[in-house]
Amino acid sequence: MHKPGESPFTDRELAEIRVWAKGRSDRTVRLRIVQDAAAGMSVSQSARRLGVSRPTVTAWRQRYAAHGLAGLEHRPRSGRPATIDEADVVAVTLAGPPPPQRIWSARSLADHLGLSHTALGRVWQRWQVRPGTAADDGSFVLPVEPPLRCRHPELLAVGASAQGRAFMVIAEAPPAGQPRVGAATAEERQMRYAALTAVMRQVQYSTERAVSEHLADGVRPGRSQRNTGAESMWDTVTSSPDLTLPPSIAMRWVARHLHVITWGDTTGPAQLPVAARQHAAPTTMSWAATVCLMAQLELRHQPQSARVALDSLADSARDLLRTPPGRPFWWLREARASTVRRRRTVHRAFDQLATSSFNEKLVIESVRGGGSLSRAEIGERTGLTPQAVSRITRNLLTTGLLVEEDRRLTRKGKPPMLLRLRPDAAFAVGIHIDRDKITHVLVDLCGQVRETSVLALTARTDLRSCLKWMKRTTSRAIEAGGPSSAGVLGVGVAAPGPLDVHEGVLLSPPFWAERGGFPIRSQLSRMFRLPVLLEKDATAAAMGEQWLGAGGSSGDFVYLYLGAGTSSGAFLNGDVYRGASGNAGEFGELTAYALGRVASDGGREPVPEYAPMSAVVARAMEAGLALPDGVPAYEAVCVAAAAGDPLAVGAIRLVAQAVARGAAAMTDLYDSDLMIVGGPAVRPEVAELYLAEMSRAVNRFPMARRNRPVRVTYSILSASAAAVGAATAVFHTTFAPRPRTHSGAAT
């Protein structure tokens, strides 16, 4: 037996544990936890590598230290089993584990959720779902009464009030007439699940707690109490969410096969079509978790419309949380036509020398945005004639940029052939030079990250070692990609401003000891023998979001990048806006003026919140939050905030409110109705805190708030936005259609 705190990792013991775990997949994670400890890896590093929680790693390490191999054996939990929200279990199953693990194992998911392996198996059996299977056909069985098989559900309405009374209206998504776009990435699904779960659980708690808070004595208001308004409070908190649908909504749903899932004593909204089928939910699944589960499925089969709907749902939830507790919750999905953004005017090439190239890029852009399209759909989107579409697509198929997919089934006639981009037709390298690390990625034409490497920076890091690391990492990534990755178009570099993008110079290198500008583009061009593109980090992040989907349906949006500093990138009139020097989007002065922080000379006073990560840590420590040793300070604050610590939550809210005032001024400046928020500071566990403050500010303070509601959404790239964006900037420069394609873009 070993004493806790010792490191009893001799070669003999490691050999014994390998024999103990051989042939037993359920013991693999425990074996690796011990091996990581023997290698000197920290708890956080081991948890990230294995895709499990830090408490799981800590527990198995302590049990092995105390009892050896016997401590690693599975122990049945004693006492009353914990309550299991089965909808939450299935939603986490579909969201998937953190990278590099791709599919949950039963053991790792059970440990992650704090369940026994047997309990998890029973949930999967009841719902007929397994990790990996739902990714293929997107279906499982809701164990409601009567049971309901969900394949491609679309969430239409949600309502909830006190005493657990709630309903949800869903229907199968319309199959035809929609472009086929690939499912949202696992990273995006996990981030959106974390953010949506945080706000929906608050709503569920808010709608259910009013009776206990206002009627703590357990007595219904008497006559004297009712005269003072207590009766209206009682009527509010106990009212049923059986709301009446507007006639236009009721008519819109007549032709659809609706399913109404109810919790408690409720029947769903009134004036539903007669054919709507009622299903009673069991107590083992909460309505809030079931809503988040439907969000997971929509992100798989119709991510573009799901993003808009889920942002609307989150906004409705935030509005409710700003009102006194106990008010019923009600959300209704907007009509599909109203959620599709206006398609910008189709460009026509007016430069005869660039006509062919421009139209080819127009076709590539339409296929990229649509996922997979027929030639007729390409013609509809681009405005080109059928003959031009046929000629261009034939050329692109010959060069290998496009490939043919299976034919789409139609009711009559020959099914059309679908075309999509070939992922390995082109690659790009993205390098993000930040204040504390360099991130390197290899990205294919469809935006999938093939290789990722990170170099941590310290005060002793020198320029020469950084350049050698970039060269070595790029060579290794290209070799790992195989022969297909030989077609690397170029290297995109993202860095904090100020920059000179015309000369390719970092004017204030964020970490190198040398002062003055550094000509990084010319250095890397000679090193890689490839074109090199330099962009500000926030601008690169905006280009990545536009290329990969979150901003793809909008011609105008602003990307708010929160990391060691704060900046923004903008897409205006369908193209990235860089400004005269490539430094557009710095809004620190707007934040200072919005907060009234003006120096004696009339200029802006420095705003500490403009560096959100350090500002959050400073605020939390000033409030008295104790930070553990061995964990990065900002990560520790975020973990505490996710656990509900009021000091950590308050620190993040204060910083988010300050940044949001500058974002509101920027909304007026650009007249944009879409804001994407991301960056290293916006970790999934605290994303809702940032999004709530941003949404409130940009829809409250701007001048045009009455006729321009702003949708605030979570970045699909988040922490990796700048690196991936730098790579997609190469694709954008190469393939994005512009009226003059030979006018001299910087490379």
Side-chain angles (χ1 to χ4, degrees), residues 402-443:
L402 296 183
V403 293
E404 293 182 334
E405 265 192 354
D406 296 334
R407 295 182 182 272
R408 181 182 299 172
L409 297 179
T410 56
R411 294 184 177 180
K412 59 181 180 179
K414 183 179 180 181
M417 181 67 71
L418 300 177
L419 304 175
R420 62 174 175 83
L421 291 178
R422 184 166 65 89
D424 58 357
F427 291 82
V429 171
I431 300 175
H432 179 208
I433 302 173
D434 207 354
R435 289 175 173 84
D436 58 352
K437 63 182 179 181
I438 301 178
T439 304
H440 182 288
V441 295
L442 179 68
V443 181

Side-chain angles (χ1 to χ4, degrees), residues 582-604:
N583 291 286
E586 298 295 336
F587 68 101
E589 293 186 359
L590 295 178
T591 303
Y593 291 137
L595 295 174
R597 298 183 184 177
V598 182
S600 58
D601 62 356
R604 63 108 172 175

Side-chain angles (χ1 to χ4, degrees), residues 446-468:
C446 292
Q448 295 297 315
V449 179
R450 299 294 185 97
E451 290 284 334
T452 302
S453 300
V454 177
L455 173 66
L457 302 177
T458 66
R460 294 178 295 179
T461 304
D462 64 281
L463 170 61
R464 181 174 299 178
S465 64
C466 290
L467 294 176
K468 286 183 177 178

Side-chain angles (χ1 to χ4, degrees), residues 42-49 54 630-632 635:
S42 69
V43 171
S44 296
Q45 291 173 325
S46 181
R48 283 193 296 269
R49 190 177 81 88
R54 285 189 297 273
V631 179
E635 179 183 342

Side-chain angles (χ1 to χ4, degrees), residues 90-391:
V90 177
V92 175
T93 302
L94 297 185
Q101 190 177 354
R102 295 187 177 183
I103 298 176
W104 285 114
S105 67
R107 182 64 62 189
S108 61
L109 181 56
D111 290 339
H112 175 77
L113 296 173
L115 304 176
S116 69
H117 182 271
T118 304
L120 177 63
R122 284 197 296 263
V123 173
W124 283 352
Q125 185 176 10
R126 276 168 50 80
W127 291 67
Q128 298 183 21
V129 62
R130 287 278 178 177
T133 57
D136 299 329
D137 59 11
S139 67
F140 61 84
V141 172
L142 275 175
V144 292
E145 184 57 43
L148 173 61
R149 175 165 289 280
C150 292
R151 299 184 186 279
H152 300 102
E154 185 174 78
L155 186 63
L156 300 179
V158 180
S161 65
Q163 299 176 332
R165 306 163 79 179
F167 70 82
M168 180 175 67
V169 182
I170 63 174
E172 280 290 303
Q178 299 299 321
R180 301 202 309 181
V181 181
T185 63
E187 182 182 11
E188 180 187 359
R189 296 198 306 271
Q190 291 165 10
M191 291 188 297
R192 284 188 172 271
Y193 171 74
L196 187 62
T197 299
V199 70
M200 294 309 298
R201 284 176 176 169
Q202 292 181 61
V203 168
Q204 183 169 4
Y205 176 66
S206 175
T207 56
E208 293 177 353
R209 71 177 175 173
V211 173
S212 59
E213 289 190 356
H214 292 276
L215 305 174
D217 295 334
V219 181
R220 184 183 173 103
R223 186 176 302 276
S224 61
Q225 292 173 307
R226 295 177 190 179
N227 292 336
T228 63
E231 181 178 23
S232 62
M233 172 59 71
W234 175 272
D235 291 339
T236 298
V237 300
T238 60
S239 61
S240 170
D242 304 338
L243 304 180
T244 302
L245 287 174
S248 59
I249 301 296
M251 288 299 297
R252 189 207 310 165
W253 289 352
V254 166
R256 306 195 66 177
H257 299 291
L258 302 181
H259 297 274
V260 184
I261 304 171
T262 60
W263 287 260
D265 182 19
T266 183
T267 58
Q271 292 192 359
L272 277 172
V274 178
R277 192 172 186 187
Q278 297 277 339
H279 303 264
T283 57
T284 54
M285 53 186 281
S286 70
W287 69 265
T290 308
V291 168
C292 297
L293 171 59
M294 293 300 142
Q296 282 291 303
L297 290 179
E298 281 208 46
L299 286 169
R300 288 176 176 272
H301 66 82
Q302 51 177 26
Q304 289 182 334
S305 62
R307 291 175 184 128
V308 178
L310 297 182
D311 291 336
S312 170
L313 174 63
D315 280 337
S316 298
R318 295 176 193 128
D319 290 341
L320 179 80
L321 295 176
R322 299 188 188 109
T323 63
R327 291 190 58 183
F329 175 66
W330 169 242
W331 172 78
L332 185 66
R333 191 187 193 114
E334 296 180 9
R336 182 175 290 271
S338 64
T339 62
V340 177
R341 312 187 74 83
R342 287 179 304 187
R343 186 177 299 165
R344 57 181 180 266
T345 304
V346 174
H347 299 293
R348 292 295 184 185
F350 53 80
D351 187 333
Q352 293 300 317
L353 294 177
T355 300
S356 177
S357 176
F358 178 86
N359 288 344
E360 282 188 358
K361 294 180 178 181
L362 202 59
V363 170
I364 294 172
E365 175 75 2
S366 66
V367 175
R368 181 197 64 78
S372 58
L373 300 175
S374 67
R375 289 175 174 81
E377 289 169 328
I378 293 173
E380 180 184 352
R381 284 172 164 249
T382 61
L384 297 173
T385 64
Q387 294 81 0
V389 171
S390 179
R391 175 180 55 80

Side-chain angles (χ1 to χ4, degrees), residues 35-36 40 80 99 157 209 237 411 518 662 735:
Q35 289 175 329
D36 288 349
R80 183 178 178 181
R209 71 177 175 173
V237 300
R411 294 184 177 180
F518 175 69
F735 297 115

